[in-house]
Amino acid sequence: MKKLYFCHIPKTGGTYVENILLTEKIKSRFLEKNVVVQYLGHGELPYRKSENILLGCIRNPVDLILSLYSHGQAGFSDVLIKYGISNFFEFYDLYMANDITEYSAWYCDDIFLKCLFDEHNQIYFDYLFRTDNLEFEMKQFLKEFDIYFDDVEFNLSNYDRNKFVHEDFKPSYGRFGSHKKERLSQKLISEKMQDEIYEKYKLYCDLFGYIK
């Protein structure tokens, strides 16, 4: 029997995907097709086998950095308190220097590539969903198994996109070609900072089309 593994890379929309895949209706439909859905926590990757189906998400790095900061601001993380961070610029400097150990395990330099590629430099995942196009790509993926998203009795209350969204975090389309936090990016993410972020994740950005 095949196993469908979802690897939750932090702040890439993983909660959304997880909540869909772990609904009883989805799990039962996969089971009908001899596919077992298994959720992997942060940092866990299964051995690559032909019978496994491996899923993950990728995200624009500018969005990701802003999301990490807003996550702390909203009180879902104690990182800002732990490091005595009082504003985004302090957070940005520590993050870019890889000094926030809670994040550096995943987001240090080309860590996305280290996570996304196996020891033979082959893409580790069978499916990678883009955070800025997550709903559509999930629909397309489920259709391959004759599962249609509109039929899923999925309660988004656990993933209310607007529940904790401050006025400063309204989405827009930005330089990297995906949803960005409009007022935050205009106020805080300078051209110089965007250049620095691009250079830090150059291989990742070039590979997945997050164009400078």
Side-chain angles (χ1 to χ4, degrees), residues 131-178:
T131 303
D132 57 307
N133 200 30
L134 196 49
E135 185 171 315
F136 173 79
E137 294 187 8
M138 280 296 297
K139 286 181 181 179
Q140 298 301 113
F141 167 73
L142 293 173
K143 282 181 181 178
E144 294 187 26
F145 295 88
D146 297 318
I147 301 172
Y148 294 93
F149 190 85
D150 291 342
D151 294 333
V152 178
E153 296 171 358
F154 176 60
N155 186 348
L156 277 174
S157 62
N158 291 328
Y159 190 77
D160 186 339
R161 299 173 184 173
N162 297 311
K163 186 174 182 181
F164 300 105
V165 178
H166 186 271
E167 181 65 24
D168 282 353
F169 293 84
K170 297 297 183 184
S172 69
Y173 285 93
R175 174 182 176 186
F176 279 73
S178 70

Side-chain angles (χ1 to χ4, degrees), residues 62-128:
V62 172
D63 286 349
L64 193 147
I65 292 172
L66 288 167
S67 181
L68 287 171
Y69 179 67
S70 64
H71 190 72
Q73 273 196 321
F76 298 115
S77 166
D78 63 356
V79 165
L80 302 186
I81 296 173
K82 177 179 177 180
Y83 290 88
I85 297 170
S86 60
N87 58 62
F88 176 76
F89 300 105
E90 293 177 1
F91 173 84
Y92 176 83
D93 288 342
L94 288 174
Y95 175 91
M96 294 298 284
N98 303 323
D99 287 340
I100 302 178
T101 57
E102 289 83 353
Y103 300 149
S104 60
W106 283 97
Y107 310 120
C108 173
D109 298 327
D110 65 345
I111 195 68
F112 282 102
L113 293 178
K114 294 174 186 175
C115 168
L116 297 175
F117 283 75
D118 63 19
E119 66 275 14
H120 304 296
N121 292 322
Q122 301 296 312
I123 291 284
Y124 193 81
F125 294 85
D126 297 296
Y127 296 88
L128 284 171

Side-chain angles (χ1 to χ4, degrees), residues 42-60:
H42 296 180
E44 296 180 82
L45 291 173
Y47 288 108
R48 185 168 182 79
K49 298 178 181 178
S50 59
E51 64 267 26
N52 290 343
I53 304 170
L54 308 180
L55 311 179
C57 295
I58 57 175
R59 188 173 192 177
N60 176 326

